[in-house]
Amino acid sequence: MKKMCIGVTGINAVDNPGPGIGVIRGLKECEDLNVEIVGLAYDAMEPGIYMDWLVDKSFILPYPSTSEEEYISRLLYIKDRTGIDMIIPTLDAEIPLFIKSKEKLESYGIKTFIPSQEQFNLRSKAKLEETSSKIGIKTPKSKTVTSYDELTKAVEELGLPVMVKGAFYKAYRAYTHQEAVGFFRKIVAEWGYPVIVQQVVSGEEMNVVGVGDGEGGDLGLVAIKKLWITSLGKIWTGVTVKNGKLFELAKTFIEKTLWRGAFELECIVDHDDIYLIEVNPRFPAWIYFATGVGINLPSRMVKRAFGIDFDNSTEYEAGKLYVRYTYDIVTDLSLFQKITMKGESL
Amino acid sequence: MERLSQLAINDEGFIFDPYTGNSYATNRTGILILNELKNGKSEEEIAKILSEKFNVEHSAALKDVTDFIEQLRSLSLL
Protein backbone atom coordinates (compact mmCIF):
# COMPACT_ATOMS: atom_id res chain seq x y z
CA MET A 1 0.00 0.00 0.00
CA LYS A 2 1.15 3.52 -0.85
CA LYS A 3 2.55 5.42 2.09
CA MET A 4 0.20 8.05 3.53
CA CYS A 5 1.46 11.08 5.38
CA ILE A 6 -0.85 12.01 8.28
CA GLY A 7 -0.52 15.11 10.45
CA VAL A 8 -1.75 14.81 14.03
CA THR A 9 -2.08 17.56 16.64
CA GLY A 10 -2.28 17.19 20.43
CA ILE A 11 1.06 15.40 20.86
CA ASN A 12 1.45 17.02 24.29
CA ALA A 13 1.63 13.75 26.22
CA VAL A 14 1.84 15.48 29.61
CA ASP A 15 -0.15 15.22 32.86
CA ASN A 16 -3.20 16.58 30.99
CA PRO A 17 -2.46 14.71 27.77
CA GLY A 18 -3.69 15.62 24.33
CA PRO A 19 -5.22 12.77 22.30
CA GLY A 20 -2.53 12.88 19.57
CA ILE A 21 -0.23 10.11 20.79
CA GLY A 22 -3.15 7.71 21.28
CA VAL A 23 -4.38 8.50 17.76
CA ILE A 24 -0.89 7.95 16.31
CA ARG A 25 -0.48 4.61 18.10
CA GLY A 26 -3.71 3.44 16.47
CA LEU A 27 -2.51 4.51 13.02
CA LYS A 28 0.93 2.94 13.43
CA GLU A 29 -0.49 -0.32 14.75
CA CYS A 30 -2.92 -0.76 11.85
CA GLU A 31 -1.36 -3.48 9.72
CA ASP A 32 -3.09 -2.53 6.50
CA LEU A 33 -2.13 1.15 6.62
CA ASN A 34 1.31 2.44 5.74
CA VAL A 35 1.60 5.79 7.48
CA GLU A 36 4.21 8.40 8.08
CA ILE A 37 3.32 10.67 10.98
CA VAL A 38 3.88 14.40 11.11
CA GLY A 39 3.49 15.67 14.66
CA LEU A 40 1.95 19.13 14.84
CA ALA A 41 2.90 20.83 18.08
CA TYR A 42 2.48 24.25 19.67
CA ASP A 43 5.56 24.09 21.87
CA ALA A 44 9.06 22.67 21.53
CA MET A 45 8.56 20.86 24.84
CA GLU A 46 5.65 18.69 23.67
CA PRO A 47 6.86 15.14 24.38
CA GLY A 48 5.48 13.71 21.10
CA ILE A 49 8.21 15.55 19.18
CA TYR A 50 10.79 13.34 20.91
CA MET A 51 8.86 10.04 20.57
CA ASP A 52 10.59 9.06 17.35
CA TRP A 53 9.15 5.53 17.28
CA LEU A 54 5.71 7.10 16.75
CA VAL A 55 6.26 10.58 15.33
CA ASP A 56 8.44 10.70 12.19
CA LYS A 57 8.69 14.48 11.77
CA SER A 58 7.46 17.41 13.79
CA PHE A 59 6.51 21.00 13.11
CA ILE A 60 5.54 23.86 15.38
CA LEU A 61 2.22 25.54 14.56
CA PRO A 62 1.16 29.06 15.54
CA TYR A 63 -1.64 29.06 18.15
CA PRO A 64 -5.11 28.85 16.56
CA SER A 65 -5.96 32.12 18.29
CA THR A 66 -3.27 34.08 16.40
CA SER A 67 -4.63 34.41 12.86
CA GLU A 68 -6.40 32.04 10.53
CA GLU A 69 -4.23 33.12 7.62
CA GLU A 70 -1.01 32.49 9.48
CA TYR A 71 -2.23 29.11 10.72
CA ILE A 72 -3.33 27.87 7.30
CA SER A 73 -0.24 29.15 5.52
CA ARG A 74 1.85 27.22 8.05
CA LEU A 75 -0.12 24.06 7.24
CA LEU A 76 0.39 24.63 3.52
CA TYR A 77 4.12 25.08 4.14
CA ILE A 78 4.10 21.72 5.97
CA LYS A 79 2.24 20.22 3.00
CA ASP A 80 5.06 21.43 0.73
CA ARG A 81 7.75 20.05 3.01
CA THR A 82 6.19 16.67 3.82
CA GLY A 83 3.42 15.93 1.31
CA ILE A 84 0.93 15.60 4.17
CA ASP A 85 -2.29 13.88 2.90
CA MET A 86 -4.57 14.30 5.90
CA ILE A 87 -4.68 16.12 9.23
CA ILE A 88 -6.40 14.82 12.36
CA PRO A 89 -6.96 17.78 14.69
CA THR A 90 -7.49 16.57 18.26
CA LEU A 91 -7.81 19.74 20.35
CA ASP A 92 -11.11 21.58 20.95
CA ALA A 93 -9.68 25.04 20.32
CA GLU A 94 -8.37 24.22 16.83
CA ILE A 95 -11.43 22.36 15.46
CA PRO A 96 -13.38 25.56 14.47
CA LEU A 97 -10.37 26.72 12.45
CA PHE A 98 -10.15 23.41 10.60
CA ILE A 99 -13.92 23.49 9.96
CA LYS A 100 -13.63 26.97 8.47
CA SER A 101 -10.66 26.07 6.28
CA LYS A 102 -11.76 22.56 5.36
CA GLU A 103 -12.41 23.28 1.69
CA LYS A 104 -9.24 25.27 1.26
CA LEU A 105 -7.17 22.49 2.80
CA GLU A 106 -8.97 19.92 0.63
CA SER A 107 -8.15 21.96 -2.49
CA TYR A 108 -4.47 21.65 -1.55
CA GLY A 109 -4.80 17.89 -1.13
CA ILE A 110 -5.13 17.83 2.68
CA LYS A 111 -8.07 15.73 3.85
CA THR A 112 -9.85 16.08 7.18
CA PHE A 113 -12.73 14.12 8.71
CA ILE A 114 -14.41 16.61 11.00
CA PRO A 115 -17.93 17.85 11.83
CA SER A 116 -19.60 20.77 10.07
CA GLN A 117 -19.85 24.15 11.79
CA GLU A 118 -23.54 23.48 12.45
CA GLN A 119 -22.80 20.13 14.10
CA PHE A 120 -19.98 21.70 16.10
CA ASN A 121 -22.36 24.40 17.38
CA LEU A 122 -25.09 21.91 18.30
CA ARG A 123 -22.89 20.22 20.88
CA SER A 124 -21.58 23.39 22.52
CA LYS A 125 -22.12 23.34 26.27
CA ALA A 126 -24.35 26.39 26.02
CA LYS A 127 -26.65 24.67 23.48
CA LEU A 128 -26.52 21.09 24.66
CA GLU A 129 -29.81 21.18 26.56
CA GLU A 130 -31.67 22.57 23.55
CA THR A 131 -30.06 20.09 21.15
CA SER A 132 -30.69 17.12 23.43
CA SER A 133 -34.36 17.95 23.85
CA LYS A 134 -34.73 18.23 20.05
CA ILE A 135 -33.20 14.83 19.42
CA GLY A 136 -34.87 13.15 22.38
CA ILE A 137 -31.89 12.61 24.69
CA LYS A 138 -31.94 13.50 28.39
CA THR A 139 -29.46 16.05 29.63
CA PRO A 140 -29.15 17.91 32.94
CA LYS A 141 -30.70 21.39 33.05
CA SER A 142 -28.18 24.11 32.48
CA LYS A 143 -27.92 27.90 32.34
CA THR A 144 -25.41 30.04 30.51
CA VAL A 145 -24.29 32.95 32.67
CA THR A 146 -22.14 36.01 32.10
CA SER A 147 -22.47 37.88 35.40
CA TYR A 148 -22.57 37.39 39.16
CA ASP A 149 -26.32 38.13 39.22
CA GLU A 150 -27.03 35.57 36.52
CA LEU A 151 -24.89 33.04 38.36
CA THR A 152 -26.82 33.58 41.60
CA LYS A 153 -30.13 33.24 39.76
CA ALA A 154 -28.97 30.06 38.00
CA VAL A 155 -27.83 28.47 41.27
CA GLU A 156 -31.17 29.33 42.90
CA GLU A 157 -33.12 27.85 39.99
CA LEU A 158 -31.07 24.67 39.60
CA GLY A 159 -30.49 24.05 43.32
CA LEU A 160 -27.21 23.00 44.93
CA PRO A 161 -24.94 21.22 44.22
CA VAL A 162 -24.23 22.48 40.68
CA MET A 163 -21.50 22.00 38.10
CA VAL A 164 -19.75 25.22 37.09
CA LYS A 165 -18.12 24.83 33.65
CA GLY A 166 -16.08 26.85 31.19
CA ALA A 167 -17.34 26.98 27.60
CA PHE A 168 -14.37 24.89 26.40
CA TYR A 169 -12.41 23.68 29.41
CA LYS A 170 -12.75 23.09 33.16
CA ALA A 171 -15.63 21.84 35.26
CA TYR A 172 -16.06 22.07 39.03
CA ARG A 173 -18.72 20.80 41.41
CA ALA A 174 -19.94 23.48 43.82
CA TYR A 175 -21.77 22.55 47.01
CA THR A 176 -22.38 26.09 48.25
CA HIS A 177 -23.16 29.42 46.63
CA GLN A 178 -19.75 30.74 47.75
CA GLU A 179 -18.01 27.82 46.08
CA ALA A 180 -19.98 28.44 42.86
CA VAL A 181 -18.90 32.09 42.89
CA GLY A 182 -15.27 31.08 43.46
CA PHE A 183 -15.32 28.63 40.52
CA PHE A 184 -17.15 31.17 38.34
CA ARG A 185 -14.39 33.76 38.97
CA LYS A 186 -11.64 31.19 38.41
CA ILE A 187 -13.08 30.12 35.03
CA VAL A 188 -13.70 33.70 33.89
CA ALA A 189 -10.12 34.70 34.81
CA GLU A 190 -8.66 31.79 32.86
CA TRP A 191 -11.05 31.22 29.97
CA GLY A 192 -13.41 34.18 29.88
CA TYR A 193 -17.20 34.18 29.40
CA PRO A 194 -19.63 32.49 29.16
CA VAL A 195 -19.79 30.12 32.10
CA ILE A 196 -22.25 27.24 32.18
CA VAL A 197 -24.04 26.24 35.37
CA GLN A 198 -25.37 22.70 35.15
CA GLN A 199 -27.66 20.65 37.38
CA VAL A 200 -25.92 17.69 39.04
CA VAL A 201 -27.44 14.31 38.22
CA SER A 202 -26.44 11.25 40.19
CA GLY A 203 -25.35 7.94 38.72
CA GLU A 204 -22.38 6.21 37.15
CA GLU A 205 -20.23 8.35 34.88
CA MET A 206 -19.53 6.60 31.59
CA ASN A 207 -18.04 7.68 28.29
CA VAL A 208 -18.49 6.59 24.70
CA VAL A 209 -15.99 7.22 21.94
CA GLY A 210 -16.97 6.86 18.32
CA VAL A 211 -16.69 8.20 14.82
CA GLY A 212 -19.74 9.34 12.86
CA ASP A 213 -19.71 8.78 9.11
CA GLY A 214 -21.60 12.01 8.34
CA GLU A 215 -24.59 10.05 6.98
CA GLY A 216 -26.13 8.91 10.26
CA GLY A 217 -24.00 5.80 10.73
CA ASP A 218 -20.94 5.08 12.83
CA LEU A 219 -17.51 3.64 12.18
CA GLY A 220 -17.49 1.92 15.58
CA LEU A 221 -18.22 2.69 19.25
CA VAL A 222 -16.54 1.83 22.54
CA ALA A 223 -17.98 2.55 26.00
CA ILE A 224 -15.90 2.79 29.15
CA LYS A 225 -16.08 3.69 32.78
CA LYS A 226 -13.27 5.65 34.36
CA LEU A 227 -12.08 3.86 37.49
CA TRP A 228 -9.41 6.25 38.67
CA ILE A 229 -8.80 9.86 37.68
CA THR A 230 -5.93 12.25 38.39
CA SER A 231 -6.22 15.47 40.37
CA LEU A 232 -6.77 17.16 36.97
CA GLY A 233 -9.76 14.89 36.38
CA LYS A 234 -8.00 12.85 33.69
CA ILE A 235 -8.42 9.10 33.35
CA TRP A 236 -5.64 6.94 34.74
CA THR A 237 -7.41 3.59 34.80
CA GLY A 238 -10.65 2.52 33.19
CA VAL A 239 -12.68 -0.50 32.17
CA THR A 240 -14.72 -1.31 29.06
CA VAL A 241 -18.46 -1.69 29.57
CA LYS A 242 -21.28 -2.94 27.38
CA ASN A 243 -24.43 -1.02 28.04
CA GLY A 244 -27.13 -1.24 25.39
CA LYS A 245 -28.83 1.98 26.46
CA LEU A 246 -25.56 3.88 26.22
CA PHE A 247 -25.05 2.63 22.68
CA GLU A 248 -28.65 3.54 21.84
CA LEU A 249 -27.98 7.09 23.02
CA ALA A 250 -24.78 7.30 20.97
CA LYS A 251 -26.51 5.97 17.87
CA THR A 252 -29.40 8.43 18.31
CA PHE A 253 -26.91 11.27 18.64
CA ILE A 254 -25.14 10.26 15.41
CA GLU A 255 -28.36 9.58 13.50
CA LYS A 256 -30.04 12.84 14.46
CA THR A 257 -27.04 15.13 14.05
CA LEU A 258 -25.48 13.25 11.08
CA TRP A 259 -22.25 13.68 13.00
CA ARG A 260 -19.10 13.44 10.91
CA GLY A 261 -15.82 12.69 12.62
CA ALA A 262 -14.64 11.66 16.05
CA PHE A 263 -16.57 12.38 19.24
CA GLU A 264 -16.65 11.52 22.90
CA LEU A 265 -19.94 11.48 24.79
CA GLU A 266 -19.78 12.00 28.54
CA CYS A 267 -22.84 10.46 30.17
CA ILE A 268 -24.35 9.75 33.58
CA VAL A 269 -26.11 6.40 33.82
CA ASP A 270 -28.72 6.11 36.57
CA HIS A 271 -30.29 2.67 36.13
CA ASP A 272 -32.40 3.03 32.98
CA ASP A 273 -31.98 6.80 32.76
CA ILE A 274 -29.03 8.11 30.79
CA TYR A 275 -28.08 11.77 30.75
CA LEU A 276 -25.76 13.27 28.19
CA ILE A 277 -23.57 15.78 30.00
CA GLU A 278 -21.03 16.74 27.37
CA VAL A 279 -20.04 16.09 23.76
CA ASN A 280 -16.40 16.51 22.84
CA PRO A 281 -15.94 17.00 19.07
CA ARG A 282 -12.74 14.96 18.81
CA PHE A 283 -11.03 11.80 20.02
CA PRO A 284 -10.46 11.67 23.80
CA ALA A 285 -6.95 11.32 25.23
CA TRP A 286 -7.76 7.68 26.13
CA ILE A 287 -8.47 6.77 22.49
CA TYR A 288 -5.77 4.08 22.51
CA PHE A 289 -8.07 2.12 24.85
CA ALA A 290 -10.46 1.59 21.90
CA THR A 291 -7.59 0.46 19.67
CA GLY A 292 -6.37 -1.87 22.39
CA VAL A 293 -9.73 -3.68 22.54
CA GLY A 294 -9.83 -4.10 18.77
CA ILE A 295 -11.78 -1.02 17.66
CA ASN A 296 -9.10 1.03 15.96
CA LEU A 297 -11.11 4.20 15.39
CA PRO A 298 -8.26 6.46 14.17
CA SER A 299 -7.36 3.97 11.42
CA ARG A 300 -11.03 3.48 10.50
CA MET A 301 -11.40 7.25 10.17
CA VAL A 302 -8.39 7.48 7.86
CA LYS A 303 -9.65 4.54 5.79
CA ARG A 304 -13.05 6.17 5.48
CA ALA A 305 -11.49 9.47 4.40
CA PHE A 306 -9.51 7.67 1.68
CA GLY A 307 -12.35 5.36 0.60
CA ILE A 308 -10.63 2.19 1.83
CA ASP A 309 -12.97 -0.66 2.91
CA PHE A 310 -12.92 -1.84 6.53
CA ASP A 311 -14.98 -3.73 9.07
CA ASN A 312 -16.90 -1.25 11.25
CA SER A 313 -18.09 -3.74 13.87
CA THR A 314 -18.34 -2.78 17.52
CA GLU A 315 -17.47 -6.21 18.92
CA TYR A 316 -15.21 -5.85 21.92
CA GLU A 317 -14.99 -7.49 25.30
CA ALA A 318 -16.43 -5.85 28.42
CA GLY A 319 -14.10 -5.88 31.43
CA LYS A 320 -10.87 -4.95 29.61
CA LEU A 321 -8.70 -2.78 31.81
CA TYR A 322 -6.91 0.42 30.74
CA VAL A 323 -3.88 1.54 32.73
CA ARG A 324 -2.03 4.71 31.84
CA TYR A 325 1.60 5.05 32.90
CA THR A 326 4.45 7.52 32.71
CA TYR A 327 7.68 7.00 30.78
CA ASP A 328 11.00 8.76 30.40
CA ILE A 329 13.05 9.56 27.30
CA VAL A 330 16.68 10.61 27.31
CA THR A 331 17.71 12.16 24.02
CA ASP A 332 20.14 14.53 22.42
CA LEU A 333 19.63 18.29 22.62
CA SER A 334 19.95 18.65 18.83
CA LEU A 335 16.28 17.92 18.11
CA PHE A 336 15.20 20.46 20.71
CA GLN A 337 17.58 22.97 19.09
CA LYS A 338 16.15 22.33 15.62
CA ILE A 339 12.57 22.66 16.82
CA THR A 340 13.34 25.81 18.76
CA MET A 341 15.38 27.50 16.03
CA LYS A 342 13.61 26.31 12.86
CA GLY A 343 10.18 25.27 14.14
CA GLU A 344 10.61 21.84 12.56
CA SER A 345 12.54 18.64 13.05
CA LEU A 346 13.79 18.30 9.43
CA MET B 1 -32.60 -11.25 36.50
CA GLU B 2 -31.24 -10.09 33.14
CA ARG B 3 -28.55 -8.03 34.88
CA LEU B 4 -27.65 -11.02 37.04
CA SER B 5 -27.19 -13.27 34.03
CA GLN B 6 -24.75 -10.77 32.53
CA LEU B 7 -22.46 -10.76 35.58
CA ALA B 8 -19.06 -12.34 35.10
CA ILE B 9 -18.21 -14.35 38.24
CA ASN B 10 -14.93 -16.19 38.64
CA ASP B 11 -14.14 -19.09 40.97
CA GLU B 12 -12.42 -16.80 43.46
CA GLY B 13 -15.48 -14.61 43.92
CA PHE B 14 -14.53 -11.66 41.73
CA ILE B 15 -17.65 -10.25 40.09
CA PHE B 16 -17.67 -7.84 37.15
CA ASP B 17 -20.80 -6.04 35.98
CA PRO B 18 -20.32 -5.29 32.24
CA TYR B 19 -23.31 -2.93 32.32
CA THR B 20 -21.84 -0.46 34.82
CA GLY B 21 -18.14 -1.38 34.92
CA ASN B 22 -18.39 -1.98 38.68
CA SER B 23 -16.64 -4.92 40.30
CA TYR B 24 -17.31 -6.68 43.60
CA ALA B 25 -15.84 -9.45 45.71
CA THR B 26 -17.78 -12.19 47.45
CA ASN B 27 -17.04 -15.45 49.28
CA ARG B 28 -17.78 -19.10 48.46
CA THR B 29 -21.33 -18.83 49.81
CA GLY B 30 -21.97 -15.70 47.75
CA ILE B 31 -20.77 -17.43 44.59
CA LEU B 32 -23.08 -20.35 45.29
CA ILE B 33 -26.10 -18.09 45.89
CA LEU B 34 -25.36 -16.06 42.74
CA ASN B 35 -24.99 -19.14 40.57
CA GLU B 36 -28.20 -20.68 41.91
CA LEU B 37 -30.08 -17.41 41.37
CA LYS B 38 -28.77 -17.45 37.79
CA ASN B 39 -30.14 -21.01 37.51
CA GLY B 40 -33.56 -19.65 38.47
CA LYS B 41 -33.73 -21.18 41.97
CA SER B 42 -35.95 -19.57 44.65
CA GLU B 43 -34.71 -18.27 48.02
CA GLU B 44 -36.15 -21.35 49.75
CA GLU B 45 -34.46 -23.74 47.33
CA ILE B 46 -31.10 -21.97 47.67
CA ALA B 47 -31.40 -22.02 51.49
CA LYS B 48 -32.01 -25.77 51.31
CA ILE B 49 -28.87 -26.29 49.18
CA LEU B 50 -26.85 -24.14 51.59
CA SER B 51 -28.04 -25.90 54.73
CA GLU B 52 -27.22 -29.31 53.21
CA LYS B 53 -23.83 -28.26 51.82
CA PHE B 54 -22.60 -26.42 54.92
CA ASN B 55 -24.57 -28.35 57.50
CA VAL B 56 -26.39 -25.35 59.00
CA GLU B 57 -29.98 -24.84 60.18
CA HIS B 58 -32.39 -24.11 57.33
CA SER B 59 -33.61 -20.92 59.09
CA ALA B 60 -30.02 -19.59 59.39
CA ALA B 61 -29.31 -20.40 55.75
CA LEU B 62 -32.53 -18.70 54.65
CA LYS B 63 -31.58 -15.57 56.60
CA ASP B 64 -28.17 -15.48 54.87
CA VAL B 65 -29.76 -15.92 51.46
CA THR B 66 -32.32 -13.17 52.14
CA ASP B 67 -29.59 -10.79 53.39
CA PHE B 68 -27.42 -11.48 50.36
CA ILE B 69 -30.32 -10.92 47.96
CA GLU B 70 -31.08 -7.65 49.73
CA GLN B 71 -27.47 -6.57 49.14
CA LEU B 72 -27.77 -7.46 45.45
CA ARG B 73 -30.93 -5.33 45.26
CA SER B 74 -29.23 -2.39 46.96
CA LEU B 75 -26.47 -2.64 44.35
CA SER B 76 -29.14 -2.76 41.59
CA LEU B 77 -27.88 -6.15 40.49
CA LEU B 78 -31.31 -7.70 40.96
Side-chain angles (χ1 to χ4, degrees):
Chain A
M1 174 171 277
K2 184 183 159 271
K3 194 168 227 174
M4 288 173 189
C5 185
I6 314 281
V8 182
T9 69
I11 58 168
N12 50 329
V14 293
D15 56 346
N16 177 8
I21 293 300
V23 168
I24 294 167
R25 285 184 74 189
L27 298 178
K28 287 273 181 176
E29 285 183 16
C30 178
E31 284 173 2
D32 45 353
L33 279 184
N34 181 11
V35 293
E36 180 179 51
I37 298 295
V38 175
L40 303 171
Y42 294 97
D43 191 288
M45 288 293 188
E46 292 192 22
I49 296 170
Y50 305 94
M51 299 169 77
D52 58 7
W53 64 99
L54 291 173
V55 179
D56 300 294
K57 297 165 187 164
S58 297
F59 288 80
I60 298 290
L61 295 180
Y63 284 108
S65 55
T66 48
S67 104
E68 187 186 330
E69 208 187 322
E70 202 185 319
Y71 194 88
I72 299 304
S73 73
R74 180 68 177 159
L75 293 180
L76 297 181
Y77 167 80
I78 296 167
K79 167 76 182 172
D80 274 351
R81 296 278 284 149
T82 64
I84 210 163
D85 299 300
M86 180 174 181
I87 296 180
I88 304 179
T90 68
L91 304 172
D92 288 1
E94 62 197 14
I95 309 269
L97 221 156
F98 277 93
I99 292 173
K100 237 173 153 182
S101 313
K102 191 182 151 203
E103 270 138 36
K104 187 170 185 183
L105 291 172
E106 192 90 32
S107 73
Y108 282 89
I110 304 174
K111 289 183 190 296
T112 54
F113 202 79
I114 50 179
S116 66
Q117 186 63 53
E118 195 196 352
Q119 290 166 345
F120 184 82
N121 294 344
L122 281 175
R123 41 60 55 195
S124 81
K125 290 182 197 174
K127 273 201 163 179
L128 187 63
E129 194 179 348
E130 188 190 326
T131 305
S132 297
S133 100
K134 271 188 198 158
I135 64 178
I137 290 174
K138 284 184 188 170
T139 189
K141 285 181 190 152
S142 63
K143 305 271 172 199
T144 304
V145 300
T146 53
S147 68
Y148 173 83
D149 287 345
E150 283 179 9
L151 171 77
T152 304
K153 209 176 150 202
V155 171
E156 273 169 15
E157 278 182 41
L158 297 173
L160 288 161
V162 290
M163 293 302 295
V164 185
K165 298 176 160 190
F168 283 114
Y169 299 106
K170 301 282 169 168
Y172 303 97
R173 184 182 284 219
Y175 291 91
T176 64
H177 180 255
Q178 284 84 349
E179 262 189 329
V181 172
F183 293 140
F184 172 79
R185 288 195 177 130
K186 199 171 171 176
I187 290 168
V188 170
E190 199 177 352
W191 300 102
Y193 295 106
V195 170
I196 290 96
V197 185
Q198 195 176 56
Q199 174 198 14
V200 170
V201 284
S202 60
E204 305 277 358
E205 194 179 329
M206 293 190 208
N207 298 44
V208 184
V209 63
V211 178
D213 65 6
E215 293 162 8
D218 66 83
L219 311 186
L221 299 168
V222 174
I224 66 141
K225 180 181 172 169
K226 295 178 180 176
L227 294 179
W228 193 28
I229 57 170
T230 66
S231 56
L232 296 173
K234 307 299 157 190
I235 184 171
W236 205 259
T237 58
V239 67
T240 48
V241 294
K242 278 217 156 169
N243 184 314
K245 289 210 181 314
L246 206 53
F247 284 141
E248 258 173 50
L249 179 141
K251 283 181 183 287
T252 305
F253 169 78
I254 299 166
E255 240 174 70
K256 297 281 173 72
T257 60
L258 299 179
W259 190 265
R260 186 173 193 268
F263 64 84
E264 179 198 19
L265 305 181
E266 295 183 16
C267 304
I268 298 283
V269 179
D270 181 21
H271 300 102
D272 284 344
D273 289 329
I274 301 194
Y275 296 87
L276 179 62
I277 53 171
E278 212 163 300
V279 181
N280 294 316
R282 47 153 179 85
F283 286 121
W286 51 268
I287 181 60
Y288 184 72
F289 195 4
T291 299
V293 298
I295 314 291
N296 190 336
L297 293 172
S299 77
R300 290 182 185 189
M301 182 204 261
V302 169
K303 286 177 182 171
R304 178 66 181 219
F306 285 91
I308 302 167
D309 286 339
F310 61 91
D311 169 21
N312 72 341
S313 73
T314 290
E315 279 311 310
Y316 65 88
E317 232 180 276
K320 284 284 180 189
L321 193 68
Y322 170 82
V323 184
R324 190 171 268 170
Y325 69 107
T326 57
Y327 195 68
D328 315 284
I329 305 169
V330 178
T331 186
D332 200 79
L333 200 61
S334 60
L335 181 53
F336 175 69
Q337 280 172 2
K338 268 190 202 169
I339 286 283
T340 310
M341 302 305 289
K342 293 169 61 189
E344 59 189 74
S345 64
L346 297 182
Chain B
M1 193 56 81
E2 195 198 328
R3 287 285 298 284
L4 197 65
S5 65
Q6 290 173 346
L7 294 181
I9 308 163
N10 79 3
D11 295 344
E12 286 162 357
F14 182 82
I15 303 163
F16 176 71
D17 180 357
Y19 192 78
T20 61
N22 288 334
S23 47
Y24 311 92
T26 188
N27 58 15
R28 220 152 47 104
T29 316
I31 300 172
L32 189 148
I33 299 172
L34 277 169
N35 285 330
E36 294 304 339
L37 282 170
K38 274 184 165 187
N39 292 336
K41 295 263 174 29
S42 68
E43 286 182 41
E44 277 288 344
E45 287 169 322
I46 299 170
K48 189 163 177 269
I49 296 169
L50 273 187
S51 67
E52 281 165 10
K53 193 171 171 81
F54 298 109
N55 198 22
V56 290
E57 291 285 326
H58 179 79
S59 59
L62 185 61
K63 188 177 175 303
D64 285 349
V65 174
T66 309
D67 283 352
F68 190 75
I69 286 174
E70 205 42 56
Q71 278 192 52
L72 293 176
R73 285 210 177 94
S74 72
L75 295 168
S76 304
L77 295 173
L78 258 189

